[in-house]
Amino acid sequence: MDLLVSTEWLAEELGASDLRVVDATQFMPDDPRNALEEYEAGHIPGTVFMDLTNLIDSHNPVPNMLPPPEKFASRMQSLGLGDGSRIVLYDDSPIKSAARAWFMLTMFGAYDVAILDGGLAKWKAEGRPLAQGREMLRHRHFTVWKDDKAVRNKAEMIANMSSGAEEVVDARSSARFTGQERDPRPGVAPGHIPGSRNLPYSELFNADGTYKKGEDLKATFAAAGIDMEKPMVTTCGGGMTAAVVAFGARLLGKKDIALYDGSWAEWGTDPATRKATGAACVA
């Protein structure tokens, strides 16, 4: 599969024995919408629901951190996702949460993972069929694996401020990045990691919710002053939309991409970390 698949492609492939379709919708904590209830009310036929709110390290005080490999593998097996599966992810969320599921699946060893371009909204807009209720698939073995090279921790981010070896790209809104708008979580300082660039994740999408592609996507990264020749680390508020920017860079063929999992939820609450406000200097 390609990294990004169309609704037309998925409609033709539905029912294939090795294909697994996954609703990976998640909302921000202050959003009143309920992802599971919406899935049960209407989803692409054959789709299982991945509960991202519980795919976390529940013992880590930083919110939304990656789960241990064994926990992740167990949850995937229970969803019927396993070795040899082609997995297509979608969401119906403003934060484009399918990208977080893509990041986790690929980091934990899945090889054939794609995102549905335009998500459930495009599928519905085209009048394609929906199913109701909750779907269950037969358990399938998922090999426990974790490749840490795609993840950065706080110590590595601090070291990178001195070395400048990796381009840090912040996926939050410009108001959050500059510090004009404070973080909604209590005790979190405003601003951004010094030296980082700002590329709000929403800028990677067309008006219809599909990803920008080709030259349009390249131009979006260039307008943010991002050097695509350097290794990239993406960050955001809590590790969610950072995955959207990582996925966008991957669409352009970039492979040296990592994600700072603690993101601003960790950095912004530590009084010892340096913080910058105002706009980044765009080269």
Side-chain angles (χ1 to χ4, degrees), residues 62-66 100 103 151-152 238-239 259-263 266:
V62 180
N64 204 47
M65 295 290 279
L66 289 163
R100 175 71 176 184
F103 175 76
V151 183
R152 296 291 176 270
L259 184 147
Y260 173 30
D261 199 37
S263 283
E266 179 178 49

Side-chain angles (χ1 to χ4, degrees), residues 63-253:
N64 204 47
M65 295 290 279
L66 289 163
E70 295 78 11
K71 178 178 180 179
F72 186 83
S74 175
R75 297 292 173 85
M76 295 308 100
Q77 288 175 170
S78 68
L79 290 176
L81 310 180
D83 303 342
S85 298
R86 291 184 298 157
I87 301 171
V88 175
L89 304 158
Y90 72 80
D91 64 64
D92 193 25
S93 170
I95 59 173
K96 308 297 183 182
S97 52
R100 175 71 176 184
W102 164 81
F103 175 76
M104 285 198 287
L105 279 161
T106 54
M107 193 201 69
F108 284 117
Y111 292 102
D112 213 355
V113 187
I115 289 179
L116 177 65
D117 200 14
L120 185 63
K122 190 170 189 291
W123 183 272
K124 286 181 174 180
E126 294 167 349
R128 299 186 186 275
L130 295 173
Q132 287 75 43
R134 192 179 301 198
E135 308 211 26
M136 303 290 289
L137 299 176
R138 187 162 57 93
H139 282 221
R140 188 180 181 95
H141 178 71
F142 190 102
T143 299
V144 178
W145 174 258
K146 183 178 180 181
D147 187 355
D148 281 329
K149 74 174 183 291
V151 183
R152 296 291 176 270
N153 59 35
K154 185 171 63 177
E156 290 168 326
M157 298 301 289
I158 291 171
N160 188 67
M161 282 198 303
S162 298
S163 70
E166 296 181 313
E167 184 90 282
V168 181
V169 183
D170 193 319
R172 294 176 298 160
S173 69
S174 59
R176 291 273 296 281
F177 180 85
T178 61
Q180 179 182 355
E181 179 183 308
R182 293 194 67 93
D183 193 283
R185 288 162 292 201
V188 180
H192 57 267
I193 298 171
S196 56
R197 304 288 185 182
N198 183 213
L199 176 54
Y201 74 94
S202 57
E203 295 185 10
L204 301 186
F205 296 91
N206 299 306
D208 64 355
T210 57
Y211 273 89
K212 292 179 181 178
K213 301 171 186 71
E215 293 303 317
D216 285 345
L217 187 56
K218 283 183 182 178
T220 300
F221 279 88
I226 296 166
D227 183 355
M228 296 295 282
E229 297 302 312
K230 291 180 67 174
M232 180 186 296
V233 180
T234 62
T235 182
C236 61
M240 290 292 297
T241 58
V244 179
V245 173
F247 184 77
R250 189 69 186 86
L251 287 176
L252 292 174

Side-chain angles (χ1 to χ4, degrees), residues 38-49:
E38 292 190 12
Y39 159 80
E40 292 178 338
H43 56 263
I44 296 172
T47 296
V48 294
F49 180 74

Side-chain angles (χ1 to χ4, degrees), residues 27-33 184:
F27 302 114
M28 295 295 286
D30 58 351
D31 194 319
R33 294 172 66 184

Side-chain angles (χ1 to χ4, degrees), residues 1-7 9-10 88 114-118:
M1 292 188 301
D2 293 331
L3 281 170
L4 200 60
V5 299
S6 68
T7 50
W9 181 93
L10 181 58
V88 175
I115 289 179
L116 177 65
D117 200 14

